[in-house]
Amino acid sequence: MPDPRYSVPTAAESVQQLVDMLQLKHLDPNDAAGAGPSAEDHFLGPVFKQAYWRVFGGQVLAQSATAAMQTVEPDRLIHSVHGYFLRPGDATKPIQVSVDRLRDGGSFSARRSQAYQDGTPILSMIASFQRPSPGVAHQRRMPQNVPDPEDLAPPQELVGHVKHPIVHEWAHGRPFDIRHVDRPIYLEADQDPHATSAVWLRTKAPLPDDPDIHRAAILYASDYTLLEPILRRHGLYWAKPEMKVASLDHAMWWHRDARADEWLLYVQQSPSAQNARGLAQGWIYSREGALVASVAQEGMVRPPEGLRPKLSEKMQQTLVHSSRATRQVNKKYSETWSSRYLDS
């Protein structure tokens, strides 16, 4: 449930929180709660209050990857992570990350990161690192005819008028500015069901020049909207009463360096959904068209059942459609949101 005492951070505060949460404290093994073998490195990551009691999954991913980054030589760059979300994190408690140095070869290194709260694992991740080397190169082409981010609505224009702490956080409290190429599905379903989605995103303020912070920040942001193609395809949306959505796993491959404080295009699609699970894939491009990263995630999606959520949704949609702000936004951007850049 939302915390009524929660105060939504400003744009500058939210970006500073993102930077601060990536500054992990290296613990003495004797001080690490539930410490494993002495060969492991232990880190403590800060957690900041959120409107909802759960820790955002992208934060746990980014902190676990950052911890692993601190155990390799500086010339070995992270190129992939594969993580499983084991339990929801508590947004009122710090996160401890243990890193097992699995292998250091001639060119590649492997690390296993485990994120804990109260001695219980909440995420398990394998990360791989490589010393840069020459070789073959090609990339998937960036979609054409995508509207520019300047022509799309910022989140505060879309839902900033809604008096609800979680929606208010979507509008103002996130460190990333997220601009939807498709009709946003915060408060209502997309009336043109399709299993694709795309957003432009960048942090709301500049980040430090450390490339590892930008790599971790892109990983953080990759968890925001990746399940949206599944929701769109089935006429679902984030605020649908009593709907349950949760990330189950997350994989990301870094291909080329980019800054998280410059516009990135995140194109997503879902090839399949079944058994209350949906698979989503994503590709992140720089504005110049370089393929920065590829992403994959499976998520649990359980639409609500029964009469009570239907009644709640009917009342909610009456309010949404009667909102002057919503009508104005829909009128202003409806033509732009009709852009199509991938086959449905």
Side-chain angles (χ1 to χ4, degrees), residues 182-250:
D182 307 81
R183 182 179 297 277
I185 56 170
Y186 291 116
L187 304 178
E188 55 184 331
D190 192 331
Q191 299 304 310
D192 178 19
H194 53 284
T196 60
S197 188
V199 296
W200 288 97
L201 51 81
R202 70 175 178 183
T203 56
K204 294 178 179 177
L207 295 176
D209 289 334
D210 182 350
D212 278 344
I213 288 181
H214 289 267
R215 294 180 187 112
I218 292 171
L219 175 60
Y220 175 99
S222 70
D223 189 42
Y224 273 133
T225 60
L226 191 49
L227 296 181
E228 287 198 356
I230 302 165
L231 303 186
R232 290 183 186 282
R233 175 64 180 79
H234 296 277
L236 304 172
Y237 55 98
W238 291 111
K240 189 176 181 70
E242 299 189 33
M243 184 177 70
K244 296 180 180 179
V245 179
S247 302
L248 300 175
D249 60 10
H250 195 99

Side-chain angles (χ1 to χ4, degrees), residues 81-252:
V81 296
H82 298 256
Y84 278 90
F85 295 101
L86 304 176
R87 294 173 179 83
D90 187 333
T92 66
K93 300 176 180 178
I95 295 172
Q96 181 177 311
V97 183
S98 65
V99 180
D100 188 1
R101 304 186 184 210
L102 297 178
R103 178 178 183 268
D104 287 303
S107 298
F108 290 87
S109 293
R111 298 291 186 265
R112 179 173 56 232
S113 293
Q114 304 263 45
Y116 296 87
Q117 285 186 321
D118 294 330
T120 301
I122 62 173
L123 178 108
S124 182
M125 170 191 289
I126 296 287
S128 185
F129 299 78
Q130 182 193 17
R131 180 182 293 121
S133 60
V136 299
H138 72 274
Q139 71 160 74
R140 179 188 179 103
R141 185 186 181 194
M142 179 177 174
Q144 304 300 299
N145 303 317
V146 178
D148 292 327
E150 294 84 2
D151 296 329
L152 299 167
Q156 60 269 25
E157 184 177 0
L158 293 172
V159 293
H161 59 284
V162 179
K163 307 302 182 183
H164 187 281
I166 292 178
V167 180
H168 198 57
E169 184 177 77
W170 293 345
H172 301 285
R174 288 174 165 177
F176 276 82
D177 184 349
I178 302 173
R179 309 222 174 168
H180 284 78
V181 176
D182 307 81
R183 182 179 297 277
I185 56 170
Y186 291 116
L187 304 178
E188 55 184 331
D190 192 331
Q191 299 304 310
D192 178 19
H194 53 284
T196 60
S197 188
V199 296
W200 288 97
L201 51 81
R202 70 175 178 183
T203 56
K204 294 178 179 177
L207 295 176
D209 289 334
D210 182 350
D212 278 344
I213 288 181
H214 289 267
R215 294 180 187 112
I218 292 171
L219 175 60
Y220 175 99
S222 70
D223 189 42
Y224 273 133
T225 60
L226 191 49
L227 296 181
E228 287 198 356
I230 302 165
L231 303 186
R232 290 183 186 282
R233 175 64 180 79
H234 296 277
L236 304 172
Y237 55 98
W238 291 111
K240 189 176 181 70
E242 299 189 33
M243 184 177 70
K244 296 180 180 179
V245 179
S247 302
L248 300 175
D249 60 10
H250 195 99
M252 180 162 156

Side-chain angles (χ1 to χ4, degrees), residues 267-286:
V267 179
Q268 304 138 23
Q269 66 178 14
S270 174
S272 181
Q274 68 296 307
N275 226 17
R277 304 189 324 274
L279 177 64
Q281 302 165 321
W283 299 271
I284 300 175
Y285 298 87
S286 71

